[in-house]
Amino acid sequence: MNPKVLILTGVGINSNRELAETFELAGATAEQVHISVLEDTPEKALDYQLIAFPGGFSYGDHIASGKILGNLLKFKLGDTLKELASRSVPMIGICNGFQILVKLGLLPQMGGEVIQEASLIQNNSGQYEDRWVNLKVSDEARAKSPWFKDLESLRCPVRHGEGKLVLGSKDDLARLQASGQIALRYTKEGEPTDEYPYNPNGSWDAIAGITDPSGLIFGLMPHPEVAIHGTQLPDWTRLEQVPTHTDCLKLFSNIVNYLK
Amino acid sequence: MYYRIETTLKQQYPDPLGGKVQSSVHNDLNLDIPEIRACKVLGLLGNFSEEEARLVATELFCDPIVEDLSFAGDLDYLSHSAEATHAVEVSFLSGVTDNTARSAKESIEYLLNRDLSEHDHVFSSTVYLINANKLNENDFHRICEEILYNSVIEKIEVLTIEDYQQGKRFTPFEAPPEIPTPATKDIAIAQLDKDELVKLSSKMCLALSREEMLAIQEHYQTDITISHREKLGLPLEPTDVELEAIAQTWSEHCKHKIFAANVKYEDESGQVESIQSLFKTMIYEPTAEIMKKRDDISSVFSDNAGAFHFDDNWDICIKAETHNSPSALDPYGGAMTGIVGVNRDVMGTGRGFLPIFNTDVFCFGPPNYDGDLPGMLHHPKRIFRGVHRGVKDGGNESGIPTVNGSISFDDRFIGKPLVFCGTGGIAPRDLHEKPVVEKWINPGDRVVMLGGLIGKDGIHGATFSSEGLSSASPTSAVQIGDPITQKRMTDFLIEARTRNLYNFITDNGAGGLSSSLGEMAEECGGVELDLTNAPLKYPGLAPWEIFLSEAQERMSLAVPPEKLDTFMELAEDMKVIATDLGQFDDTGFLNIFHGGKQVASLCMDFLHNGLPTLELKAKWTPPQNPEASDADLPELCQDLAEKVISRYNICSKEDWVRQYDHEVQGMSVIKPFSGIKHDAPSDAAVIRPDYKTNKGLAISHGLLPRYSDIDTYHMTCNVFDEAIRSIVCVGGDRSSALGLDNFCWPDPVQSSKTPDGTYKMAQLVRANKALRDMALKYNVPCISGKDSMKNDFISEDKKISIPPTLLFTAVGTVPEITKSISMDFKKAGDVIILLGETKDELGASEFYDEIGYLGMNIPQVDTSSALERYDSFFKASQDSLISSAHDLSEGGLLVALAESCFGARMGANITLPKNGLNIIRNLFSESASRILVSVQADKVNEFKAHFEGQSFAILGEVSQEYKLNINESSLNLQGLYTAWRNPIAEI
C-alpha cells in the first residue's frame, strides 16, 4: 500500500498543493489536512506515516517567520508530535515549514529535546528573493538519512526573506557539524560558499537544510517540490535533452520507498 | 494592566532591517549615517497578569536564540547601538489595520488558553536607533518624514538618548476612544438650488455632477417615492445612507459614465460622428461579433472577470484592476489592496475561481526626478519602493506567483502613479452539474458577508478615485490589506464551493457592501439588510459608513436558507468570520435597517437606471512635431548604445522582479528571466496549470504611454500587437488569444479644470476605435477590462495629467509546453533572423526621446502581414525549428539583440539589411510585429520555407565571443550589460 502523507494546510500555508502532487508522483497517497481539523482532533495525525509542513506565510510571518504556527502546534498538538516522534514518523519542513520546525524545536534537537536551538533570520540582503541555488548533499546525511540515498547534489529555487540559519554560538555550530546533522549546503562550483547570491541568505556554514539526529526529520529552506519536472528548470530550453523528472523527485521517492 | 515588550537582535547579528533604512537614507537623501538598528515592540493593555505577559514575551515575541528581550519596556538601547543619539518609534494611527498585532492577539489566545475580550488590546510598533550626530535638524526631520513613516497611516515619537538616560520613555499605547454610534441623518436637498446641490456634493465627497444631483432631487419629489416613504415612516428627504449609496453606485469608478456617454467626435477633417457609448460600440459589440466565431469563451463582461475554456476540464478567468489614487497616498497599503482586491475579483467570478497567477504593471515618475513635488506628493522613488513592497507582500503572502509585468517611467506619473494588478484563476468547468461560471440568487436566499471586519478604512474610495488627486482627498480612502485573512477565506471558499453551500458570490471592492449587495439585489429584485450585527473593527461607525466601508478581505454571498447552518459551522471551524446580514427578495427595493430602525429604502430601478447619460464632445487635432533628419542622428558607438540600453524603460528590472515569488504553485515553464544566468527578460510567461497535461498558458502584456503623445490610435494598435506577439514568441497559439483592456486616462471631460477635455476625449475615442479594429482583425476579444478616468493631480497652481495609457493584457494557450521558446540565444553558429520589416518609424521611440525628439512617424501595425507571420512562426515552433525568439519592443533591434546575447553570454555578428534606412533607424526604430529569432544552421532552409513570400532578413550568426558586431561597429557586451543591469538595481 502507498504510504499516507499528511500535508498540513491553512493559516497562510501556500505550497501545499504542489507538495501533495510531488508526493503523489513519488508514489505516496497525499492528503491535505487543514490545521483546524488537527486542532479539534490531534490524534488524526497518527493515521499518517509521514508529516509534511509546506512553505508559505503562516500567520503572515508576523512577529517572526514560523513562530506563531510553531507555537500553535506546540501548545495544541504537543503530545501528538511527541507520539509521532516516538513512532519514528519521518517529517519534512520546507521553507516556512522548516522555520516552523526550527522555532518549535523539532529541529535540530542536538540535545535530544524539543526546544528551540537554532533560528532562521532575515537574509543578509534584507529582502525576499526567488532565485535558483545549487545544493550539495553532505556525506553524513547520505550515509544515515533515508531522504538522501544516492543523492549528490540538487538544484531548486529559494523563495524566502528569512532563511539565514544561525545558532546561538559558534560552539553550537561546531556541535551541529560534529553530529552530522547538516544535510544540505549552498554551493558555488560544487563547493559550499558564503558568497551572495550562491548562498542567498548568509546562512552560517552555507547551511540550506538539516536533519534531527535520527535523520528522519528533515527541514530545508529551498523548494525541491517545484523542481520536479524538467520544464521547471530555469534553463531547460538550453538543454539538448530535457529530463522528464529531476533529482529533486528522488528526495521524495527515497522517503516513500523507505516507508513502503 | 499595561505591558511593553521590546526585542532586538543581539549585537553580534547584523540587522538587515536597519541596513535597508540606512541604504534608503543614502540613496534618497544622499546622507550617510552610521549603523541603524531596529527594535520590535509589542504592547499589551487590558486584563493581563504579569505572568501572562511574561509568557507572551518569552514564548511568542522573542526569539531566544538571536534576540534580547525587555519585558518592562526598558530595553537597553545603548547596549545595542552604542552610538545612537535618537530613538524613533513608528506606530500605526488609531484604526489603521495592524496585522502584526492581529496575528499576535490570536496567538496570545492559544498561548494563554483563553479568549481575549474587546477590552484587551494588542499593539505593535518599531523603534529605530539612529546616530544623528552628523545631521542637522532638517536632515533628521527628512529621514523621519521621507523614510521612516507615512503620516497618512502612522505616527512617530522621538526620544533623544539624553531623554532616555534620564528615564524618559515612549508614551504608552492607548486604547482607542469609545465612540458612540452616530445616528442616521436626513440630508435636506429638496429646497437647494443647482449651485447649492453642487456644493453639497463636494462637501460630502459624493463626486456627483449638477445633473446627477438634480436627478436625485427630482426622484425624491415624485409621488411614488413620497407615498412609498410615507408608508414606511421614512423622512421625505434622503437619508445619508441613501445619498451615499446612490453616489457610490453612480460613481465613475462603478458606472463608467465616460465609457457609457454619448460622444460627438469630430476628426481632423471636420467630420462629426455620434457615438453612443464607447464601451458598447467599440468593446462589447466587437467581442460579441468575435464570440460568434469562437467556442472557447465561457463568460464576458457580466462578471468580475472574463472566463474561457482552457481545456476539457478547466475554465480559466482573468482580470486586471488599477489602484492608482490609494497608491499615491499610501504606496504600500494602496498597492497591496490592489493586488489582494483583484484576487477577490477572481474568487468572486462564477461560483469561485482559485487564483493561480498575478501580473503587475507599474508606471512611475523617474527615480532620478529632481523637479518640484507639489504638496502631498511623495517622491517617485518612495512610491516605487512602497508600491513594489505592497504588491510583493500581497502576492507572496497569498501564495500566488507573479508571472508577468513591467515598470514604465514618465515625468507625468509623478502626480499619479499607475498600479495595474492582474490575476488569473482556475476552476473546474462544471461544478455540481452546472457550468462554474453560472451563479444565481433566489428570493429567500440569505445575505452572508464573509471575511474581515469593517472599519472606516476605504470610505469614499470609489468616489475618491472618480476625482483628481488633491490635498483635499480623504485619507480614510487608504486601506491596508491582510493577505493572511484573505488566504484563510480562500481556503474556506474552496471547501464551501466543493460542498455546494452557496449560490452566488462576489467581491466587496470599491463601495463595499453598497456595491456588492446593490449588484446582487439586481439578480433577484431586492434585498433586506440589517446592519446591526455587521462585525466592526471598533465602535462608532455610522450605518452609512458600515454600508460603504471598503475594509478589505470581504466577500458577499447568497446562501440558501437550508444550507446556512452548515455554512456557518464550516466558517467557524476554519476561523473565518461569516455574518448573516439579511435576505434577498423581489420587492424592487434595497431596504436597510440598523438598531431596529429603517435607515434606507432605495428603489432598485432608480439606483441602477436613474443616472443621466453624459453628453461629451471630442475633437481630434493631430499634433505636429518635427522629425530628425539623417544628419541629426548620432553615429552608432558604445556610448550611444549604453545610453539607450540604460534608459529606465529598457534597463533590467531583475532586482525588483526577483522579490516576487514567481514559482509558488509549481506551474512555471517560462519564467520572468531566461538564459544561462537567469537574468535575460522573457517576453511572456508560460505556466502549466494542470501538471497532468502538457498544455500551457502564456501570459503577456503591451504598454506604451509615450505613443499617446502622437496618436492614441496607433498607441493602441501597438500595445495590442505587442501583447499578442509576445504570446507567439514563447510558442503560444495566437488563435486562442484573449485580451483585457485597462484604460488609465486623464480627465477627458471639458471644464474649467480641464480646458483640453475635447482633445483628451478624442484621444479616448481614437484608442477605442483602434481597440475595435484590432480585436476584429486579430479575432481576439476583450473578455474583461476596466477604466480609471481621472488620473490628474491638481493643486492650486498646478495640474499634472498622466499620458493616456492603455494596458493590454493577453493570454493564449501553448499546446505543448516542451515546445515553448525562450529569448536567449542558444549556440554559437546559430543563424540570426529578423522576421518582419523595419521601417522609418522612430516616432515616440525610446531612442528619439534620448536625443530629444518626439516626431510623428509612429510605428503602424500592418495587421495582415503580422498575422501571416505569427501563423508561420507558430507552425515553425511546432516543428521545433526555432532556438530562440525575442520580441522587438522599446529600444528596437539593438536592445533585442543585446538581451538575447546576455541570455547566452555569447555574442553576435550582424550585417544589417540593405533596406534604404540608415544604421540608427535600423537599430532603434520600434516598428511593430517584428521578432528576432535564432535557428540552428541545419534547420534554416526548413525554417525559411515557412516564411516564403514574407518579409524577413538573415542578419548573421551567434558567436562565442562576447561582442556584438554590427556592420563595421563592434560593441562591448560586458559594457552594455553593466549599463543595462544597474540603473535601478538600487533605489
Side-chain angles (χ1 to χ4, degrees):
Chain A
M1 223 171 79
N2 289 348
K4 267 175 76 177
V5 175
L6 184 155
I7 313 271
L8 188 68
T9 72
V11 295
I13 290 170
N14 63 32
S15 301
N16 41 297
R17 191 183 89 171
E18 56 270 36
L19 186 57
E21 284 172 354
T22 296
F23 268 112
E24 295 264 339
L25 202 58
T29 300
E31 288 178 17
Q32 301 178 49
V33 180
H34 197 273
I35 181 75
S36 62
V37 174
L38 293 184
E39 276 181 67
D40 291 344
T41 48
E43 64 282 2
K44 194 169 190 297
L46 301 174
D47 298 344
Y48 296 85
Q49 287 140 288
L50 190 149
I51 312 291
F53 299 86
F57 282 83
S58 56
Y59 288 93
D61 277 1
H62 300 138
I63 297 182
S65 54
K67 184 79 180 182
I68 297 184
L69 185 53
N71 257 356
L72 191 156
L73 293 168
K74 188 160 141 188
F75 287 90
K76 291 266 177 176
L77 297 175
D79 291 342
T80 309
L81 289 171
K82 268 183 210 144
E83 177 63 25
L84 289 165
S86 75
R87 294 184 187 184
S88 299
V89 170
M91 298 187 196
I92 183 170
I94 299 173
C95 197
N96 198 226
F98 181 34
Q99 292 162 338
I100 289 165
L101 293 180
V102 166
K103 306 281 168 86
L104 173 62
L106 280 170
L107 284 173
Q109 293 196 61
M110 289 183 288
E113 267 184 85
V114 181
I115 51 161
Q116 188 180 343
E117 295 171 325
S119 195
L120 290 151
I121 62 173
Q122 272 218 322
N123 299 349
N124 281 355
S125 66
Q127 66 197 28
Y128 180 105
E129 288 178 357
D130 178 340
R131 63 168 74 249
W132 279 63
V133 291
N134 293 303
L135 303 171
K136 185 174 180 173
V137 178
S138 73
D139 296 339
E140 300 92 323
R142 193 165 43 249
K144 87 169 167 194
S145 166
W147 290 93
F148 306 103
K149 189 169 169 271
D150 301 330
L151 280 174
E152 296 281 334
S153 62
L154 297 168
R155 270 180 92 198
C156 55
V158 288
R159 308 187 327 237
H160 62 247
E162 298 183 17
K164 175 179 178 175
L165 189 130
V166 297
L167 295 116
S169 66
K170 295 288 170 183
D171 288 347
D172 283 352
L173 177 64
R175 277 172 69 205
L176 192 66
Q177 288 162 335
S179 64
Q181 289 177 249
I182 301 173
L184 298 171
R185 289 186 177 86
Y186 301 108
T187 60
K188 180 188 179 187
E189 287 154 14
E191 292 309 313
T193 183
D194 288 333
E195 188 184 332
Y196 175 84
Y198 306 96
N199 175 338
N201 47 38
S203 270
W204 285 10
D205 194 23
I207 298 171
I210 57 177
T211 67
D212 74 331
S214 76
L216 288 171
I217 303 180
F218 165 43
L220 77 168
M221 284 314 297
H223 286 271
E225 81 283 12
V226 294
I228 299 297
H229 305 282
T231 52
Q232 287 174 322
L233 298 170
D235 43 15
W236 68 270
T237 57
R238 303 186 67 80
L239 303 176
E240 290 288 344
Q241 279 296 322
V242 181
T244 310
H245 295 121
T246 70
D247 272 356
C248 282
L249 182 60
K250 263 194 211 159
L251 204 58
F252 298 94
S253 37
N254 275 342
I255 198 73
V256 170
N257 291 336
Y258 165 84
L259 291 169
K260 268 183 179 169
Chain B
M1 273 300 288
Y2 173 67
Y3 305 91
R4 181 181 168 101
I5 304 165
E6 297 182 303
T7 66
T8 189
L9 279 175
K10 290 176 182 169
Q11 190 67 34
Q12 68 259 37
Y13 300 99
D15 178 1
L17 177 58
K20 273 266 179 201
V21 174
Q22 201 178 358
S23 71
S24 297
V25 170
H26 173 81
N27 291 327
D28 287 17
L29 307 178
N30 205 16
L31 295 170
D32 285 311
I33 53 172
E35 183 192 47
I36 294 180
R37 289 189 78 93
C39 314
K40 296 186 300 180
V41 183
L42 196 72
L44 301 181
L45 177 64
N47 182 25
F48 298 99
S49 71
E50 183 173 331
E51 193 192 349
E52 285 179 333
R54 273 189 196 283
L55 198 63
V56 170
T58 54
E59 289 292 330
L60 172 66
F61 197 53
C62 177
D63 183 327
I65 306 298
V66 293
E67 287 178 332
D68 286 327
L69 168 72
S70 144
F71 166 68
D74 57 355
L75 189 70
D76 184 358
Y77 294 153
L78 286 172
S79 78
H80 291 92
S81 180
E83 294 178 345
T85 59
H86 291 75
V88 180
E89 177 168 41
V90 178
S91 55
F92 287 109
L93 291 171
S94 180
V96 173
T97 305
D98 180 348
N99 287 327
T100 301
R102 195 196 44 70
S103 285
K105 196 166 179 182
E106 198 174 321
S107 185
I108 289 168
E109 290 183 334
Y110 286 121
L111 197 59
L112 306 183
N113 206 13
R114 66 176 174 90
D115 289 341
L116 299 185
S117 82
E118 62 195 278
H119 302 294
D120 296 322
H121 301 283
V122 180
F123 310 88
S124 82
S125 71
T126 307
V127 172
Y128 296 95
L129 304 176
I130 296 175
N131 179 329
N133 267 336
K134 288 192 186 148
L135 303 176
N136 61 35
E137 205 169 309
N138 184 44
D139 287 341
F140 182 72
H141 180 73
R142 288 187 67 196
I143 290 176
C144 293
E145 294 287 325
E146 296 177 35
I147 310 280
L148 293 182
Y149 93 112
N150 179 355
S151 60
V152 174
I153 53 166
E154 292 162 326
K155 59 182 191 296
I156 60 164
E157 186 177 2
V158 179
L159 277 188
T160 67
I161 288 302
E162 288 81 47
D163 289 341
Y164 176 79
Q165 283 169 324
Q166 285 163 17
K168 200 170 165 208
R169 292 294 179 267
F170 287 111
T171 312
F173 293 105
E174 284 172 6
E178 301 268 340
I179 305 167
T181 304
T184 294
K185 288 195 229 102
D186 313 333
I187 312 292
I189 60 168
Q191 304 303 324
L192 300 186
D193 68 22
K194 288 173 186 175
D195 290 342
E196 287 166 338
L197 284 171
V198 170
K199 261 189 212 147
L200 180 71
S201 162
S202 161
K203 195 178 125 209
M204 290 181 69
C205 203
L206 300 176
L208 292 172
S209 71
R210 192 175 62 179
E211 289 70 26
E212 290 158 356
M213 288 299 285
L214 283 169
I216 297 168
Q217 191 183 45
E218 193 184 321
H219 170 73
Y220 275 84
Q221 286 163 2
T222 58
D223 293 344
I224 290 185
T225 309
I226 290 172
S227 74
H228 174 73
R229 299 182 75 80
E230 279 173 344
K231 217 181 298 165
L232 295 175
L234 279 168
L236 297 187
E237 297 278 14
T239 65
D240 52 6
V241 182
E242 291 167 342
L243 198 54
E244 293 279 359
I246 296 169
Q248 151 58 43
T249 308
W250 288 8
S251 67
E252 176 57 47
H253 189 94
C254 296
K255 272 287 181 208
H256 312 286
K257 292 183 273 201
I258 293 169
F259 266 78
N262 293 327
V263 187
K264 285 240 172 325
Y265 169 70
E266 182 183 338
D267 69 11
E268 65 265 46
S269 64
Q271 213 156 19
V272 179
E273 182 186 352
S274 288
I275 302 165
Q276 280 180 333
S277 171
L278 286 172
F279 172 72
K280 183 168 157 279
T281 55
M282 308 287 176
I283 301 174
Y284 185 82
E285 286 171 2
T287 292
E289 189 64 36
I290 295 163
M291 281 179 63
K292 288 183 202 155
K293 291 182 266 173
R294 290 179 60 156
D295 58 3
D296 57 340
I297 296 157
S298 40
S299 170
V300 287
F301 300 130
S302 60
D303 209 333
N304 292 313
F308 63 98
H309 305 313
F310 173 70
D311 61 16
D312 291 342
N313 299 317
W314 300 103
D315 266 12
I316 286 182
C317 73
I318 176 162
K319 172 68 176 278
E321 277 273 11
T322 51
H323 231 218
N324 308 334
S325 304
S327 302
L329 292 176
D330 172 19
Y332 177 74
M336 179 193 270
T337 47
I339 192 71
V340 296
V342 74
N343 293 162
R344 281 197 309 277
D345 274 325
V346 159
M347 289 152 59
T349 296
R351 273 172 292 148
F353 282 65
L354 184 66
I356 55 168
F357 66 84
N358 285 338
T359 64
D360 60 64
V361 172
F362 308 143
C363 299
F364 299 132
N368 64 352
Y369 182 79
D370 60 359
D372 285 344
L373 280 173
M376 62 198 298
L377 294 180
H378 296 303
H379 190 274
K381 271 201 236 189
R382 186 174 191 176
I383 294 188
F384 184 161
R385 274 200 303 264
V387 164
H388 171 267
R389 193 164 61 89
V391 167
K392 175 195 74 166
D393 284 357
N396 291 358
E397 293 183 18
S398 304
I400 303 167
T402 299
V403 300
N404 184 253
S406 65
I407 311 173
S408 180
F409 300 92
D410 187 295
D411 276 358
R412 290 164 287 178
F413 293 121
I414 65 155
K416 234 188 201 184
L418 302 185
V419 178
F420 298 91
C421 298
T423 298
I426 195 164
R429 270 176 73 161
D430 292 305
L431 203 64
H432 310 300
E433 290 160 6
K434 285 204 177 100
V436 69
V437 292
E438 281 181 19
K439 51 182 167 187
W440 59 91
I441 300 175
N442 299 319
D445 282 357
R446 302 302 303 177
V447 178
V448 177
M449 186 188 92
L450 198 65
L453 305 177
I454 300 174
K456 293 202 181 201
D457 22 5
I459 284 176
H460 281 153
T463 49
F464 157 58
S465 66
S466 303
E467 294 198 315
L469 189 62
S470 74
S471 48
S473 300
T475 52
S476 65
V478 172
Q479 320 124 42
I480 293 184
D482 177 7
I484 298 312
T485 296
Q486 184 151 315
K487 183 76 173 74
R488 283 180 164 179
M489 183 166 71
T490 314
D491 291 348
F492 164 78
L493 280 174
I494 295 302
E495 187 65 31
R497 189 188 73 178
T498 307
R499 298 197 200 172
N500 199 14
L501 295 180
Y502 57 86
N503 292 342
F504 195 104
I505 179 166
T506 197
D507 160 41
N508 281 336
L513 289 172
S514 76
S515 170
S516 65
L517 296 180
E519 284 169 26
M520 286 170 82
E522 260 192 304
E523 291 282 323
C524 64
V527 68
E528 184 173 308
L529 298 172
D530 188 346
L531 298 177
T532 316
N533 294 325
L536 305 183
K537 288 183 181 173
Y538 36 80
L541 266 71
W544 74 266
E545 292 177 307
I546 298 173
F547 198 47
L548 259 75
S549 165
E550 296 181 8
Q552 291 290 303
E553 294 89 38
R554 294 180 301 140
M555 302 195 74
S556 294
L557 295 92
V559 178
E562 69 277 11
K563 293 179 182 170
L564 185 69
D565 288 348
T566 316
F567 184 97
M568 297 307 239
E569 276 163 30
L570 182 66
E572 196 181 335
D573 275 354
M574 294 181 78
K575 297 193 180 62
V576 177
I577 300 166
T579 316
D580 180 355
L581 291 180
Q583 181 170 301
F584 291 99
D585 56 38
D586 51 9
T587 58
F589 282 87
L590 184 66
N591 288 311
I592 307 176
F593 295 81
H594 186 267
K597 194 176 154 234
Q598 182 152 19
V599 294
S601 182
L602 279 163
C603 169
M604 301 279 302
D605 183 48
F606 175 70
L607 187 63
H608 291 293
N609 306 316
L611 173 69
T613 305
L614 271 182
E615 305 285 336
L616 294 176
K617 282 199 176 121
K619 186 171 187 320
W620 173 240
T621 316
Q624 294 190 326
N625 306 306
E627 217 70 56
S629 70
D630 278 2
D632 298 326
L633 299 178
E635 297 277 317
L636 176 65
C637 63
Q638 182 77 21
D639 183 51
L640 179 73
E642 287 185 9
K643 268 193 185 139
V644 174
I645 209 163
S646 66
R647 287 175 61 81
Y648 285 139
N649 286 339
I650 295 176
C651 70
S652 169
K653 315 292 187 293
E654 182 183 348
D655 293 86
W656 301 92
V657 175
R658 283 246 169 263
Q659 295 181 46
Y660 302 127
D661 189 336
H662 55 261
E663 291 174 286
V664 62
Q665 302 195 22
M667 296 177 295
S668 84
V669 175
I670 296 290
K671 301 181 202 294
F673 297 100
S674 297
I676 193 164
K677 301 229 174 192
H678 326 156
D679 57 359
S682 304
D683 290 329
V686 177
I687 61 167
R688 183 192 200 180
D690 178 356
Y691 85 106
K692 294 189 181 76
T693 81
N694 266 3
K695 189 165 183 179
L697 184 75
I699 302 119
S700 70
H701 73 276
L703 177 93
L704 294 161
R706 197 189 301 111
Y707 281 31
S708 296
D709 292 343
I710 297 177
D711 189 348
T712 50
Y713 185 90
H714 295 298
M715 179 277 285
T716 303
C717 293
N718 277 283
V719 298
F720 198 114
D721 180 60
E722 179 173 3
I724 302 302
R725 180 166 78 244
S726 300
I727 283 182
V728 171
C729 283
V730 294
D733 176 2
R734 69 118 187 138
S735 73
S736 70
L738 303 150
L740 297 183
D741 57 286
N742 281 84
F743 286 87
C744 282
W745 233 250
D747 185 2
V749 178
Q750 185 82 12
S751 72
S752 59
K753 275 191 300 188
T754 310
D756 53 352
T758 56
Y759 179 73
K760 287 169 172 165
M761 192 62 206
Q763 290 184 302
L764 185 66
V765 171
R766 292 185 65 74
N768 275 279
K769 281 173 176 279
L771 191 60
R772 174 198 61 195
D773 293 349
M774 289 297 287
L776 289 172
K777 279 190 181 129
Y778 279 45
N779 203 36
V780 170
C782 294
I783 59 166
S784 179
K786 206 75 197 260
D787 57 280
S788 163
M789 301 305 296
K790 309 271 170 164
N791 291 290
D792 309 273
F793 170 81
I794 301 157
S795 69
E796 273 164 23
D797 55 347
K798 200 162 185 178
K799 176 171 180 181
I800 308 169
S801 295
I802 63 152
T805 303
L806 170 65
L807 170 69
F808 192 78
T809 307
V811 295
T813 56
V814 177
E816 169 54 59
I817 52 165
T818 57
K819 289 181 177 168
S820 305
I821 303 162
S822 64
M823 47 65 69
D824 45 316
F825 288 145
K826 300 298 183 304
K827 275 196 317 232
D830 282 358
V831 176
I832 300 169
I833 300 168
L834 177 61
L835 299 176
E837 194 184 342
T838 305
K839 297 175 192 157
D840 181 11
E841 292 178 324
L842 280 173
S845 66
E846 286 293 317
F847 176 80
Y848 249 9
D849 198 53
E850 179 64 34
I851 63 166
Y853 280 85
L854 176 60
M856 285 302 294
N857 53 355
I858 187 170
Q860 303 200 8
V861 179
D862 175 353
T863 52
S864 313
S865 71
L867 291 179
E868 194 187 0
R869 182 172 314 125
Y870 299 163
D871 290 343
S872 302
F873 182 101
F874 180 63
K875 287 189 195 119
S877 73
Q878 297 310 293
D879 289 348
S880 302
L881 297 175
I882 303 171
S883 299
S884 76
H886 196 14
D887 153 46
L888 269 68
S889 57
E890 289 104 316
L893 177 61
L894 182 88
V895 171
L897 278 167
E899 288 176 345
S900 293
C901 288
F902 298 157
R905 292 299 194 273
M906 288 179 190
N909 297 315
I910 301 295
T911 307
L912 293 172
K914 294 198 170 45
N915 52 9
L917 297 180
N918 87 352
I919 185 166
I920 291 292
R921 293 186 202 276
N922 260 307
L923 288 177
F924 296 113
S925 167
E926 295 176 7
S927 294
S929 317
R930 295 176 302 158
I931 304 173
L932 182 73
V933 299
S934 65
V935 177
Q936 254 175 243
D938 57 1
K939 292 181 176 173
V940 168
N941 284 338
E942 206 184 330
F943 176 84
K944 276 160 66 179
H946 279 286
F947 291 89
E948 216 174 278
Q950 298 183 39
S951 177
F952 67 87
I954 295 196
L955 297 182
E957 60 176 41
V958 180
S959 69
Q960 205 64 54
E961 195 186 13
Y962 201 31
K963 269 188 181 163
L964 181 53
N965 298 316
I966 301 175
N967 292 359
E968 276 71 54
S969 303
S970 177
L971 301 174
N972 173 337
L973 279 165
Q974 191 52 50
L976 288 184
Y977 180 81
T978 308
W980 171 79
R981 182 68 183 75
N982 293 327
I984 58 165
E986 248 186 51
I987 66 164

